[in-house]
Amino acid sequence: MCLGIPGRIVAITDAEAMMATVDVSGVRRSVDVTCVAPKDGPLDGLVGRWTLVHVGFAMSLIDEEEAKATLAILHEIGEANAEIAAFAGEVA
Amino acid sequence: MTAPLTAGANPFQDRETGRRLIARIGEKLDRLGATERKPVRLMEICGGHTHTIFRHGLSGVLPAGLEFLHGPGCPVCVLPMGRIDDCVAIAEDPRVIFTTFGDAMRVPGSKKSLMQAKADGADIRMVYSPLDALELARRNPDREVVFFGLGFETTMPSTALTVLKAEREGIANFSLFCNHITIIPTIRAVLDTPGMMVDGFIGPGHVSMVIGLKPYRFIASQYDRPLVVTGFEPLDVLQSVWMLLDQIDRGVVEIQNQYARVVPEEGNPQANAAIDAVFETRPFFEWRGLGSIDESGVAIRERFARFDAERRFAVRSPAVAEPDSCQCGGVLTGTVKPWQCPLFGGACTPESPVGALMVSSEGACAAYHQYGGLRKGAA
């Protein structure tokens, strides 16, 4: 029950009530965005952003740069192994 | 801009990268001299990670020198029977529409589960969000709508914000039966368990999204154990295993963040503000299998008393003894494996659970039963 699902904020439906429409794999539903609202300024800046939705609340904006960085590290850890294996193979 | 989380192939499930990571983990374990008899033991605190580990068969593909211990991080699994009895008592009040997440429906009480109470005629409805419960209250002004709030800090902001919304709108027929629990005292209880065998922690991803990394620092400074906050894809878990082994290998003990794409170091200030506004720490809270843990639960503040189902209904929270032979407590602290419980797979199955760890797919026993078969060494 503690898992969330990534979705894209597609519209602000009621700024006063902090409600937005979020698209999760083609399914759209109304979601509360209080936890990801900018401190100052309108909610419109959220439109287009990816967010992790948990029980009807947008809980965190998903940082795509961080996601790419994680993938790069994962790739690097994997590749490093391949290099080590190749190096070990050459020596042998 | 790339969109790594859009539909299509999920790069966090890439098999080739996974295969290489597993090899790297094997090299680390060899360097550490870990063996099946003397493994490195990593505890995933969160039931979501337990689910990932089993669903993707990670235990089966990793070397025998690594052992996963499945910790107490599934809120459904640690609910004491007495609180389920309270839910049933509230739900059987004819004025009440009782609302709950689906996970809690099959958790056994001392007499019946919510599902059985529903079959017996109580008006119990499964909802996706506490906001759905609030909407039911708006539509049914002549009924009392009670939402069963449970979960760690991940779920707390949503119920807190729902209470704040109910207050703003002046909704008089909505209340929350608060069973929220907090992660830090839980981890401390594991660390203080006699015979504790954990070498490092796979830290919860979505709890950390709310609380940030700072609250975990005592694990490194006071207990000399590393923790890596981790995402829920198989590669996330593998990367964190590698990061933990790398710390052990280098002789350092740190709190690290593998899940930075979702978890900010400082947590979520709006979510924490909502939690602080609505909830206060209880002196203690009863856990199934673990007993009473100091300051491990929260209650609704006096200011919001009219939204507190515990005050509006006669909630008794009877102390109910665990079923005979049930080993949930030992499993939760990593000192007993599910297959060592005499009830496992016999008297206790996912279809007919005795212990709470057999109920949710995030419970260690249910995961062993579903994915690992009934034998030792299956996971």
Side-chain angles (χ1 to χ4, degrees):
Chain A
M1 65 170 281
C2 295
L3 291 180
I5 187 156
R8 197 165 201 175
I9 299 170
V10 293
I12 304 299
T13 50
D14 184 343
E16 200 180 334
M18 290 281 183
M19 298 303 288
T21 301
V22 173
D23 183 309
V24 177
S25 302
V27 177
R28 294 186 171 198
R29 87 165 269 150
S30 193
V31 164
D32 186 301
V33 293
T34 306
C35 291
V36 296
K39 282 202 185 74
D40 308 302
L43 295 177
D44 297 343
L46 293 173
V47 174
R49 296 292 304 270
W50 283 84
T51 181
L52 192 94
V53 180
H54 174 64
V55 300
F57 289 76
M59 292 303 303
S60 184
L61 293 173
I62 296 171
D63 188 323
E64 297 203 12
E65 292 307 312
E66 288 286 357
K68 280 192 278 187
T70 305
L71 286 169
I73 292 165
L74 284 165
H75 191 64
E76 193 181 311
I77 295 172
E79 284 302 314
N81 174 63
E83 282 169 27
I84 291 165
F87 181 70
E90 272 180 31
V91 171
Chain B
M1 182 189 274
T2 59
L5 297 160
T6 50
N10 182 343
F12 289 96
Q13 294 192 358
D14 176 60
R15 282 178 181 277
E16 181 58 22
T17 307
R19 195 186 62 76
R20 290 174 179 167
L21 265 172
I22 289 163
R24 290 276 277 167
I25 289 167
E27 290 163 16
K28 279 279 178 205
L29 288 167
D30 287 345
R31 279 173 60 90
L32 293 167
T35 63
E36 189 170 4
R37 288 172 65 90
K38 197 183 158 206
V40 173
R41 295 188 172 101
L42 302 181
M43 175 176 274
E44 84 277 2
I45 299 159
C46 175
H49 288 138
T50 306
H51 192 68
T52 299
I53 287 165
F54 279 91
R55 188 155 61 94
H56 296 279
L58 299 186
S59 296
V61 297
L62 286 167
L66 184 84
E67 186 180 346
F68 287 113
L69 302 176
H70 315 295
C74 167
V76 175
C77 301
V78 296
L79 267 177
M81 278 193 176
R83 300 297 279 189
I84 296 293
D85 290 349
D86 287 337
C87 288
V88 170
I90 295 170
E92 287 181 338
D93 184 323
R95 297 170 297 165
V96 166
I97 299 173
F98 192 86
T99 58
T100 174
F101 296 134
D103 315 41
M105 289 293 281
R106 287 189 307 123
V107 182
S110 68
K111 295 186 185 68
K112 55 175 108 169
S113 66
L114 284 168
M115 189 167 287
Q116 288 160 332
K118 184 179 170 69
D120 291 344
D123 191 348
I124 298 172
R125 307 189 194 181
M126 280 188 275
V127 291
Y128 161 71
S129 165
L131 292 177
D132 298 339
L134 194 61
E135 180 59 20
L136 273 172
R138 289 188 194 105
R139 289 184 191 174
N140 296 275
D142 54 334
R143 302 285 299 278
E144 288 290 329
V145 176
V146 180
F147 179 71
F148 181 23
L150 77 166
F152 286 95
E153 282 89 339
T154 315
T155 313
M156 260 188 228
S158 59
T159 50
L161 287 164
T162 302
V163 168
L164 290 169
K165 206 166 264 203
E167 185 193 44
R168 263 200 313 278
E169 295 182 30
I171 296 176
N173 63 326
F174 173 80
S175 60
L176 174 71
F177 182 40
C178 179
N179 286 269
H180 286 298
I181 44 182
T182 55
I183 199 75
I184 295 300
T186 314
I187 299 174
R188 198 182 280 278
V190 169
L191 286 162
D192 287 336
T193 301
M196 197 277 295
M197 303 185 291
V198 181
D199 296 308
F201 290 97
I202 293 169
H206 294 148
V207 163
S208 310
M209 167 178 84
V210 173
I211 69 173
L213 266 62
K214 191 176 165 189
Y216 299 117
R217 285 188 191 150
F218 78 98
I219 300 168
S221 62
Q222 293 175 28
Y223 290 89
D224 201 30
R225 295 292 190 281
L227 178 143
V228 177
V229 167
T230 304
F232 294 91
E233 298 291 349
L235 291 187
D236 289 325
V237 174
L238 290 175
Q239 186 190 1
S240 288
V241 167
W242 187 85
M243 290 167 77
L244 286 162
L245 295 175
D246 187 53
Q247 285 198 47
I248 296 168
D249 186 25
R250 291 186 293 118
V252 298
V253 180
E254 291 173 354
I255 307 302
Q256 297 177 327
N257 187 10
Q258 182 277 336
Y259 199 30
R261 64 185 185 277
V262 168
V263 174
E265 298 268 330
E266 70 282 7
N268 185 307
Q270 293 103 315
N272 284 308
I275 290 172
D276 290 344
V278 174
F279 299 123
E280 62 188 3
T281 304
R282 293 180 195 260
F284 58 88
F285 197 73
E286 190 73 22
W287 292 58
R288 190 185 290 238
L290 296 177
S292 179
I293 301 178
D294 288 350
E295 300 185 341
S296 63
V298 297
I300 297 172
R301 289 186 188 279
E302 180 68 32
R303 177 189 150 192
F304 299 98
R306 65 195 172 105
F307 300 105
D308 187 354
E310 215 159 319
R311 302 182 209 214
R312 288 175 61 154
F313 298 87
V315 169
R316 294 171 49 246
S317 298
V320 180
E322 293 297 317
D324 285 348
S325 310
C326 179
Q327 300 289 312
C328 279
V331 174
L332 287 170
T333 51
T335 53
V336 172
K337 288 286 185 185
W339 46 263
Q340 293 172 319
C341 174
L343 305 181
F344 180 78
C348 185
T349 63
E351 294 71 35
S352 180
V354 176
L357 293 181
M358 194 58 97
V359 175
S360 162
S361 66
E362 296 175 14
C365 295
Y368 264 73
H369 199 276
Q370 183 179 354
Y371 295 109
L374 307 180
R375 301 172 313 282
K376 175 185 177 181

